[in-house]
Amino acid sequence: MTEAGKIHGDQVRDLMMALAREVLWPFRWRVATILLMQIATQIMLLASLILPWQLLQMLITGRSRIDGWAPWADADSEKIAVLIALAVLCFCAYALLKWLVKKAIASFSASILQHLNKTRLVTNHRLLGKRVLGVVLGALSSAVIAILFCLMIALLHPLLALLAVLCVLGLVVMVGFYYRFERVQKIQDMLQGNVLTVINISFVLGFLIIVLDYLNGTMRPLLTLFILLLGMRQLMAASVNGLVSFLSIIKFFQQINMLLLPRSQQISLFSTTDFVQRFEQGKLKQWLLPWLVERKHCNSDIEILQCRLIHGRAIAQVLIRETAASAVSRYILLKCYVSARENEALHETALLNEVNGHYHGVIPTVPFLLESGRLPWCSFVLLEIGGELPQWKNSEERKPWMSELRQCLLHVPLPNRLIAQYTATFASLPERMKKIDATHFAYLTQDDKESFQVEHFMRLWPLMVAEVERIPKSLTVQNQSSARMAKIDGHMLLMDWFGWVYDTVGAFWPLSAKLHAEVLEVIGSQWEDSSAQQHWSEFDTPVTAANYVALAARAHEFCQRCNANNDSGALNMIAGLIKAYEAITHSHSFSALQRDIASLHHAVN
């Protein structure tokens, strides 16, 4: 179904009411300030357009409307200077107000996001929050500006105001008609591409009214007519902008839901499926508690603490507490997957069967798998997560734990059967690297090849592949920042085990300015461990090993960008890859020099 069919009028209405109630009203003074600044911006724009008209009239007739405003300006040259100064001042004020509005929206967005204290607010989400708030305020300010100009036209010419309202209503009806059949983006493009046509039609209709006035002998002064036509233009432009912003609200419906509204006020886009209905508070208690008792995983004294629907309501996570007769608590996590995500449940089960309750500290890092299987309406995984209440961590709160997460993954023991399963399913980093050859950048001009060092890089590329093949492999996750985890008594517990791969250490390590320091911290902390020494036996020092892992991280990102046809991003990475490879060769040279010195010292002795 098209995007237009996914969001209905009642959902949009509910969203607008929730925005007004949760965002606009608590910050009403800031919203009012922004709207007043928007109105002042339009007034300055109108003034900067009218004043040149007066300047032209002054040059032609020697008279203008400011004759009574500036009694000190007697000479024509002084009046012209005043008009020019006013026009420049109004235009500068218009530009300044536009900039101030932009800054005010950014500040307002930061205040809202801080006020809501939402989870998942990483940097990208903050930028998106500012963008969607700009869309909401853009729609509101466009509506206010359109009403303002309509009132202004009504004061000067009621018949023309009636015509303007009919034009706007016609535009709204047309957009509403096409919305049933076309995608939102297509309607937006059509509106933005035809904004001049809409304005020209309004001009033609405005001129018809003026002609009728002339024929009836009720002609207005020229300045009034000019203001009316400008007002008509701004009214239609504001109407088109308002409709485009309103369509953007529909397009960013889910983002506005997530970033600007509290969870309790979010508007559901999803139909209430059988899967979702089973996790409603009332029904959940009816079937889950007897089901757990029947399977002898719990006694009768159990309590449902939390139920979360994630990944577009396709996965449910239910946290359960069982209290024994001795008042000792035990926590269980039930995860249910819709049929379409059955493979993820099987993937998670296969891994948990092998690394059940793995320890990387005092408390198990991997939960204990109690049972897995299928129900008529879902696949499920039932986990025991210990005797302490877990505290879920959002994206921002997970960052300090990333180092511990990576250290844990390096220690998770995988049997050969599971390693074979992973390697058969996922292409390793060296395999992905070998698929990229010089022909990928053959379209570049010779100058571009030289500036990006493409030919030098492609000569080094096979050598980089060989070095990456030396790096040990371990269990890793394709997006570690999104790995759902909880903290239990100061220790980390990994909750979701689907989407994991067995690949080169560092292959999925996100690039950052602190990449080398992060890698060195993880490798250095386990360097003295005898089990870890088996993995890193080929490397002399943690610094050398860290250089290799940093090369793998860059090579993985380079391959990702090449496969996504993001050639500009890939080309910009070439210099960093060469530098990472040179760090490895320098460490080789330094190690060889140290060995030569040691052997020479031994020979002298």
Side-chain angles (χ1 to χ4, degrees):
M1 201 172 183
T2 62
E3 186 181 353
K6 293 178 183 175
I7 299 174
H8 304 288
D10 57 340
Q11 292 171 326
V12 177
R13 184 195 65 234
D14 292 343
L15 180 71
M16 300 301 284
M17 290 175 65
L19 279 171
R21 186 172 56 249
E22 299 296 331
V23 176
L24 302 180
W25 182 250
F27 297 93
R28 51 193 175 277
W29 298 116
R30 294 186 72 165
V31 173
T33 302
I34 291 172
L35 290 178
L36 287 172
M37 290 166 68
Q38 292 274 39
I39 292 169
T41 302
Q42 292 297 315
I43 292 171
M44 289 298 108
L45 177 62
L46 197 62
S48 65
L49 293 172
I50 292 171
L51 286 166
W53 170 272
Q54 289 297 294
L55 181 61
L56 184 63
Q57 188 179 16
M58 184 69 201
L59 291 171
I60 294 171
T61 65
R63 295 168 57 193
S64 75
R65 295 277 176 159
I66 72 157
D67 288 352
W69 300 353
W72 69 88
D74 296 326
D76 289 349
S77 58
E78 291 176 346
K79 293 176 182 177
I80 290 171
V82 169
L83 283 169
I84 292 173
L86 285 173
V88 171
L89 185 65
C90 288
F91 184 77
C92 291
Y94 163 74
L96 178 64
L97 282 166
K98 287 276 284 185
W99 179 78
L100 287 173
V101 166
K102 194 173 180 181
K103 294 289 286 183
I105 290 174
S107 172
F108 183 29
S109 171
S111 298
I112 286 179
L113 297 179
Q114 186 177 8
H115 172 72
L116 289 176
N117 191 24
K118 304 274 286 185
T119 59
R120 298 182 65 194
L121 286 180
V122 295
T123 305
N124 287 345
H125 289 114
R126 291 194 180 95
L127 292 173
L128 185 58
K130 185 170 77 171
R131 184 179 176 187
V132 296
L133 182 64
V135 166
V136 172
L137 291 177
L140 185 61
S141 61
S142 293
V144 170
I145 289 166
I147 292 169
L148 182 72
F149 278 108
C150 189
L151 290 173
M152 186 188 77
I153 295 170
L155 288 172
L156 297 174
H157 200 306
L159 183 59
L160 188 58
L162 177 62
L163 179 66
V165 170
L166 291 175
C167 287
V168 173
L169 287 176
L171 199 59
V172 170
V173 169
M174 192 180 299
V175 168
F177 176 78
Y178 278 105
Y179 178 72
R180 297 163 56 197
F181 307 105
E182 303 289 355
R183 291 183 179 275
V184 165
Q185 187 61 53
K186 189 170 181 180
I187 303 173
Q188 282 185 311
D189 293 341
M190 185 172 66
L191 273 174
Q192 290 171 324
N194 292 285
V195 64
L196 286 177
T197 304
V198 171
I199 290 171
N200 288 336
I201 291 172
S202 69
F203 272 166
V204 170
L205 294 172
F207 273 114
L208 285 176
I209 297 293
I210 292 169
V211 169
L212 286 175
D213 282 349
Y214 176 74
L215 294 175
N216 291 328
T218 55
M219 188 76 170
R220 269 77 172 173
L222 280 177
L223 180 62
T224 303
L225 293 177
F226 184 66
I227 293 172
L228 283 171
L229 290 175
L230 276 179
M232 192 76 169
R233 181 204 178 282
Q234 293 302 100
L235 168 63
M236 298 310 296
S239 300
V240 172
N241 289 337
L243 285 170
V244 169
S245 296
F246 180 73
L247 291 168
S248 291
I249 290 175
I250 296 173
K251 186 165 70 173
F252 293 116
F253 193 104
Q254 194 57 18
Q255 290 88 335
I256 291 171
N257 237 351
M258 183 185 81
L259 295 169
L260 299 183
L261 295 177
R263 287 188 184 277
S264 59
Q265 299 296 323
Q266 288 181 6
I267 311 303
S268 175
L269 271 179
F270 305 96
S271 57
T272 308
T273 59
D274 179 50
F275 181 85
V276 172
Q277 285 178 348
R278 287 179 184 273
F279 293 96
E280 291 175 356
Q281 191 171 7
K283 291 189 178 180
L284 186 60
K285 291 180 180 178
Q286 289 176 10
W287 71 265
L288 179 57
L289 301 183
W291 182 80
L292 288 170
V293 173
E294 179 188 348
R295 291 183 175 251
K296 300 180 180 177
H297 292 301
C298 297
N299 57 34
S300 56
D301 191 6
I302 49 181
E303 178 187 2
I304 297 172
L305 298 180
Q306 187 183 46
C307 176
R308 303 191 304 168
L309 290 164
I310 58 175
H311 293 296
R313 295 183 156 201
I315 301 175
Q317 294 188 345
V318 187
L319 183 63
I320 304 143
R321 177 168 59 199
E322 177 192 27
T323 307
S326 57
V328 176
S329 296
R330 172 174 169 254
Y331 294 90
I332 293 172
L333 183 69
L334 172 69
K335 291 198 278 188
C336 295
Y337 301 78
V338 294
S339 300
R341 300 182 86 112
E342 182 182 7
N343 284 339
E344 294 178 7
L346 296 174
H347 190 175
E348 184 172 7
T349 302
L351 183 57
L352 285 170
N353 276 327
E354 302 295 345
V355 296
N356 229 1
H358 169 69
Y359 283 78
H360 180 58
V362 181
I363 291 177
T365 305
V366 181
F368 288 95
L369 178 65
L370 294 176
E371 188 183 353
S372 64
R374 276 193 58 80
L375 293 171
W377 45 276
C378 74
S379 297
F380 74 89
V381 179
L382 189 65
L383 307 173
E384 181 177 342
I385 55 178
E388 297 287 340
L389 179 67
Q391 296 175 340
W392 301 98
K393 296 294 179 186
N394 63 35
S395 298
E396 288 290 305
E397 294 166 339
R398 280 195 292 262
K399 286 182 179 178
W401 296 85
M402 286 296 104
S403 175
E404 185 179 335
L405 170 61
R406 295 182 184 113
Q407 288 175 30
C408 166
L409 295 177
L410 286 173
H411 285 85
V412 173
L414 287 186
N416 291 331
R417 183 189 62 78
L418 203 57
I419 289 173
Q421 179 181 325
Y422 276 122
T423 51
T425 307
F426 303 101
S428 67
L429 177 58
E431 289 171 356
R432 298 195 299 274
M433 291 174 71
K434 287 173 184 175
K435 292 179 182 178
I436 295 171
D437 53 29
T439 57
H440 188 92
F441 299 112
Y443 65 90
L444 293 173
T445 63
Q446 190 59 35
D447 289 343
D448 285 339
K449 286 180 180 178
E450 289 174 4
S451 64
F452 286 110
Q453 307 179 70
V454 172
E455 292 176 355
H456 175 54
F457 170 72
M458 293 315 300
R459 283 195 297 271
L460 296 178
W461 188 241
L463 303 176
M464 292 184 192
V465 176
E467 298 292 8
V468 168
E469 286 178 327
R470 296 179 57 196
I471 303 172
K473 293 185 176 182
S474 79
L475 184 70
T476 187
V477 63
Q478 296 182 40
N479 185 2
Q480 292 183 10
S481 64
S482 68
R484 293 178 185 272
M485 56 168 282
K487 189 179 78 170
I488 296 181
D489 195 24
H491 295 273
M492 180 181 65
L493 181 71
L494 298 174
M495 291 299 186
D496 286 352
W497 285 87
F498 54 80
W500 300 82
V501 295
Y502 183 78
D503 204 345
T504 305
V505 175
F508 294 88
W509 205 304
L511 300 183
S512 72
K514 300 177 181 177
L515 175 65
H516 284 79
E518 290 173 358
V519 172
L520 192 57
E521 180 188 355
V522 171
I523 295 174
S525 64
Q526 57 156 334
W527 192 255
E528 302 302 326
D529 191 339
S530 57
S531 62
Q533 268 300 318
Q534 273 186 317
H535 287 88
W536 302 103
S537 56
E538 285 194 50
F539 304 100
D540 301 319
T541 63
V543 174
T544 303
N547 287 336
Y548 273 82
V549 174
L551 174 66
R554 293 181 182 280
H556 164 74
E557 184 65 25
F558 177 78
C559 293
Q560 292 282 90
R561 295 185 185 189
C562 285
N563 291 331
N565 294 320
N566 179 14
D567 282 0
S568 60
L571 286 167
N572 287 327
M573 290 194 68
I574 287 177
L577 275 163
I578 293 173
K579 190 175 179 181
Y581 177 71
E582 286 173 351
I584 287 174
T585 56
H586 289 329
S587 64
H588 281 323
S589 303
F590 183 69
S591 299
L593 180 62
Q594 282 186 318
R595 284 193 297 271
D596 291 343
I597 291 171
S599 60
L600 181 63
H601 182 69
H602 180 71
V604 169
N605 289 338

